[in-house]
């Protein structure tokens, strides 16, 4: 058993970033990282489905303090994992990681003013103590995908594969493949699988927006050739930041114009036999759900191939050799891929125990998108869903460090958000996203009211303004030995 000032759960992008911020901003504090798996990388070492890659530019999606040096802006998972490993090694963060340490329980004692973290490690049960807990384990369950009701799936005589548990020996060459889904995973997989499969059909219940972005930026490449690595990274970071934010907020503030422009762009890239109004005309506005990205238009180019098509319909039933849709069409298949989403949760799906009492996270409030009412000395790191995730995760960690510094300044041993108003029925989930897997997770997510400080991740500009000038005492209860400070 070890005792630390901080325990970070998870060694993905967010966890490595949190460790770096602790190392540089709180150098006198001790910390360790508990990682359930045997390697660094989180999502980028976990998913193995064909074509797995980022759908954000790595200049922004990468670590703010570690330049992305590759020419490709939307990189494959292998490169991202290597990048995270290199960053951790360069900062000696890798030495702080305890691999194969699966957190199974977290319990706070007000008497001790400490967390006890229960861990299963290499067949043994262990305990660690921490003054502060930072959950960087992502927002989805690694062991359980979103459960999708597919009628008759038990009748199928072929292979059913889920992207989250992709079989390493699955050979789809010369096979008929149906990919169920319309999100980023389906958009990513289709052009890769279509290279060797005899036929690929993407079957979706409802359409998504698909944006064609360049795999590499010619401007970014020019900047990297003419400036030092650090200067080039700074220039490209601001270039990408401004481009992303201008586009996102143009779409949010002018949704009708944005829809018209994107619909026209998609129509120009589709083959004539695919109707954009049927297959690429979502009912929601841009960024109510995150749009899908296809680098260099690979998804649209695949749809021009004879062995690739898209169907927008509902499933009537699955039969031995394919799928029957509600309209009566039969989609023959040797392989069905269920790219139907993720099972969303926070704190790794673990229920926090505070002084012996379980805390139902779904009935608590989010304090500035970083802490939860009734849970002392703990942060759940959540990134942005409209902008690059890592920017939001980094903003969360910086805020938690500011809270810690205030605790130290006033001599407090713990801090906990307190919300006294009974407005739970009118509250909303902390992530305002209309994707199915977020909608079905509403009962597992903390709530927000929209009033400060009970809000979630906003955007980089807002969150940093609040970081610099916002209060870390509003809505917070600090505990000082023999004294409480609100």
């Amino acid at each position: 058993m070890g005792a630390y000032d901080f325990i970070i759960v998870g060694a993905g992008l967010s966890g490595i970033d949190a460790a770096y911020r602790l190392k540089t901003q709180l150098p006198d504090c001790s910390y360790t990282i508990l990682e359930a798996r045997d390697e660094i990388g989180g999502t980028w070492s976990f998913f193995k489905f064909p074509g797995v890659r980022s759908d954000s530019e790595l200049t922004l999606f990468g670590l703010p303090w570690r330049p992305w040096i590759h020419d490709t802006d939307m990189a494959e998972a292998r490169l991202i994992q290597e990048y995270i490993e290199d960053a951790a090694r360069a900062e000696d963060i890798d030495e702080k990681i305890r691999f194969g340490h699966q957190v199974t329980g977290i319990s706070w004692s007000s008497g001790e003013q400490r967390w006890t973290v229960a861990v299963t490690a290499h067949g043994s049960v262990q305990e660690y103590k921490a003054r502060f807990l930072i959950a960087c384990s992502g927002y989805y369950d690694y062991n359980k995908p979103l459960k999708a009701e597919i009628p008759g799936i038990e009748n199928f005589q072929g292979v059913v594969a889920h992207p989250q548990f992709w079989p390493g020996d699955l050979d789809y060459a010369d096979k008929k493949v149906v990919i169920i889904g319309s999100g980023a995973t389906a958009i990513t997989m289709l052009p890769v699988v279509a290279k060797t499969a005899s036929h690929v059909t993407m079957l979706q219940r409802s359409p998504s927006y698909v944006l064609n972005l360049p795999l590499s930026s010619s401007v970014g490449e020019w900047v990297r050739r003419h400036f030092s690595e650090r200067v080039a990274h700074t220039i490209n970071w601001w270039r990408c930041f401004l481009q992303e934010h201008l586009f996102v907020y143009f779409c949010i503030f002018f949704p009708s114009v944005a829809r018209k422009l994107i619909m026209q762009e998609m129509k120009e890239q589709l083959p004539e036999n695919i109707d954009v109004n049927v297959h690429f005309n979502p009912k929601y506005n841009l960024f109510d759900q995150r749009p899908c990205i296809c680098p260099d238009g690979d998804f649209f180019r695949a749809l021009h191939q004879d062995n690739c098509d898209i169907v927008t319909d509902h499933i009537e039933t699955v039969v031995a050799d394919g799928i029957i849709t509600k309209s009566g069409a039969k989609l023959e298949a040797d392989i069905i891929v269920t790219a139907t989403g993720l099972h969303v949760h926070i704190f790794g799906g673990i229920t926090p125990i505070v002084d012996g009492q379980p805390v139902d996270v779904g009935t608590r409030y989010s304090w500035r998108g970083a802490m939860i009412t009734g849970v002392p000395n703990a942060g759940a790191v959540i990134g942005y869903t409209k902008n690059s995730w890592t920017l939001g995760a980094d903003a969360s960690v910086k805020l938690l460090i500011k809270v810690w510094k205030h605790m130290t300044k006033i001599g407090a041993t713990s801090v906990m958000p307190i919300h006294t108003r009974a407005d739970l029925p009118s509250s909303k989930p902390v992530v305002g996203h209309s994707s199915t897997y977020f909608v079905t997770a509403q009962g597992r997510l903390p709530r927000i009211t929209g009033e400060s400080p009970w809000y979630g991740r906003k955007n980089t500009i807002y969150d940093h303004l609040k970081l610099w000038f916002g209060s870390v005492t509003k809505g917070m209860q600090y505990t000082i030995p023999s004294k409480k400070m609100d």
Side-chain angles (χ1 to χ4, degrees):
M1 184 179 75
Y4 300 91
D5 292 315
F6 288 87
I7 285 180
I8 299 168
V9 181
L13 265 174
S14 299
I16 301 304
D17 180 62
Y20 176 83
R21 295 302 184 193
L22 291 179
K23 172 188 172 181
T24 54
Q25 296 187 30
L26 298 173
D28 295 330
C29 290
S30 60
Y31 75 90
T32 191
I33 303 174
L34 302 179
E35 170 55 50
R37 300 171 64 240
D38 294 323
E39 56 186 343
I40 290 175
T43 292
W44 307 108
S45 62
F46 176 67
F47 279 96
K48 305 294 184 183
F49 64 83
V52 58
R53 56 161 174 78
S54 73
D55 62 353
S56 295
E57 292 181 297
L58 263 297
T59 301
L60 287 184
F61 186 73
L63 299 163
W65 41 271
R66 179 80 177 182
W68 176 256
I69 61 174
H70 297 283
D71 290 335
T72 52
D73 292 319
M74 285 172 283
E76 59 187 78
R78 176 186 58 81
L79 287 178
I80 301 174
Q81 182 184 1
E82 290 176 359
Y83 165 79
I84 301 171
E85 289 174 339
D86 291 343
R89 190 181 307 112
E91 298 294 336
D92 297 325
I93 293 170
D94 56 337
E95 298 176 4
K96 301 287 189 177
I97 304 172
R98 296 174 182 267
F99 291 106
H101 281 55
Q102 174 71 56
V103 175
T104 57
I106 52 175
S107 178
W108 171 263
S109 167
S110 292
E112 292 184 39
Q113 292 287 286
R114 293 285 189 278
W115 283 100
T116 298
V117 181
V119 172
T120 300
H122 312 296
S124 67
V125 177
Q126 303 177 13
E127 284 188 350
Y128 291 85
K129 298 282 187 178
R131 296 178 64 192
F132 208 104
L133 191 65
I134 303 180
C136 296
S137 49
Y139 66 93
Y140 65 88
D141 193 323
Y142 276 57
N143 299 312
K144 180 173 67 175
L146 177 67
K147 186 177 181 181
E149 297 296 335
I150 303 176
I153 192 68
E154 68 279 0
N155 300 323
F156 187 58
Q157 298 299 304
V159 176
V160 178
H162 194 286
Q164 195 164 331
F165 310 108
W166 191 261
D169 59 351
L170 181 57
D171 182 9
Y172 49 82
D174 301 319
K175 301 288 178 41
K176 289 172 283 189
V177 181
V178 175
I179 302 172
I180 301 175
S182 61
T185 300
I187 301 300
T188 298
M189 285 186 65
L190 181 139
V192 178
V193 174
K195 291 177 180 178
T196 56
S198 63
H199 195 274
V200 183
T201 300
M202 190 174 107
L203 173 59
Q204 58 180 14
R205 288 184 304 177
S206 57
S208 298
Y209 295 103
V210 183
L211 308 182
N212 176 4
L213 294 181
L215 182 63
S216 300
S217 165
S218 58
V219 175
E221 291 175 2
W222 185 91
V223 170
R224 280 189 289 269
R225 284 197 307 269
H226 290 83
F227 294 93
S228 67
E229 181 180 287
R230 180 60 60 179
V231 172
H233 174 69
T234 301
I235 294 172
N236 280 329
W237 192 93
W238 280 104
R239 174 182 59 82
C240 293
F241 176 85
L242 291 171
Q243 286 177 347
E244 179 180 277
H245 280 70
L246 287 172
F247 176 71
V248 168
Y249 290 100
F250 170 79
C251 293
I252 291 173
F253 290 119
F254 304 101
S256 298
V257 177
R259 171 188 284 269
K260 183 177 180 180
L261 291 173
I262 298 303
M263 290 281 290
Q264 181 60 35
E265 183 179 293
M266 291 190 293
K267 181 179 180 180
E268 291 173 357
Q269 296 175 84
L270 288 168
E272 292 183 359
N273 64 318
I274 295 181
D275 189 343
V276 68
N277 292 307
V278 174
H279 303 294
F280 296 92
N281 189 13
K283 295 179 181 179
Y284 57 87
N285 289 326
L286 275 153
F287 291 100
D288 286 348
Q289 296 181 25
R290 188 176 177 87
C292 300
I293 306 297
C294 63
D296 287 347
D298 61 353
F299 174 77
F300 294 111
R301 292 201 312 273
L303 290 176
H304 282 266
Q305 298 172 199
D306 293 336
N307 71 331
C308 193
D309 65 3
I310 183 169
V311 173
T312 303
D313 206 340
H314 286 68
I315 296 174
E316 178 67 31
T317 189
V318 178
V319 294
D321 59 348
I323 296 173
I324 307 297
T325 68
K326 290 285 187 181
S327 65
K330 181 177 181 180
L331 309 177
E332 294 185 352
D334 301 306
I335 300 171
I336 294 176
V337 179
T338 54
T340 50
L342 304 165
H343 181 85
V344 173
H345 62 201
I346 61 172
F347 282 125
I350 297 170
T351 300
I353 306 296
V354 176
D355 293 329
Q357 299 299 313
V359 176
D360 181 359
V361 172
T363 63
R364 302 304 175 103
Y365 292 84
S366 172
W367 183 84
R368 294 175 64 177
M371 297 181 72
I372 297 170
T373 54
V375 182
N377 286 27
V381 172
I382 299 175
Y384 299 128
T385 55
K386 292 181 172 64
N387 304 107
S388 293
W389 173 272
T390 317
L391 295 177
D394 189 52
S396 295
V397 173
K398 289 177 179 177
L399 178 57
L400 295 174
I401 289 174
K402 184 176 181 180
V403 169
W404 174 274
K405 288 181 176 179
H406 185 72
M407 283 176 55
T408 303
K409 178 181 178 180
I410 65 174
T413 53
S414 65
V415 59
M416 180 171 65
I418 300 293
H419 182 73
T420 56
R421 290 170 57 184
D423 53 2
L424 191 65
S426 62
S427 65
K428 299 178 181 179
V430 67
V431 179
H433 207 286
S434 62
S435 292
T436 301
Y437 56 92
F438 275 111
V439 172
T440 57
Q442 287 189 7
R444 297 188 293 273
L445 297 175
R447 314 296 294 179
I448 59 172
T449 67
E451 297 179 4
S452 182
W454 313 113
Y455 59 85
R457 295 264 63 81
K458 294 279 191 178
N459 60 66
T460 305
I461 297 172
Y462 182 90
D463 286 340
H464 276 81
L465 287 173
K466 296 292 283 187
L467 176 68
W468 298 329
F469 306 112
S471 169
V472 291
T473 59
K474 184 178 180 181
M476 298 284 260
Q477 183 182 78
Y478 287 84
T479 298
I480 302 174
S482 302
K483 180 181 177 182
K484 283 190 177 181
M485 177 178 177
D486 295 330

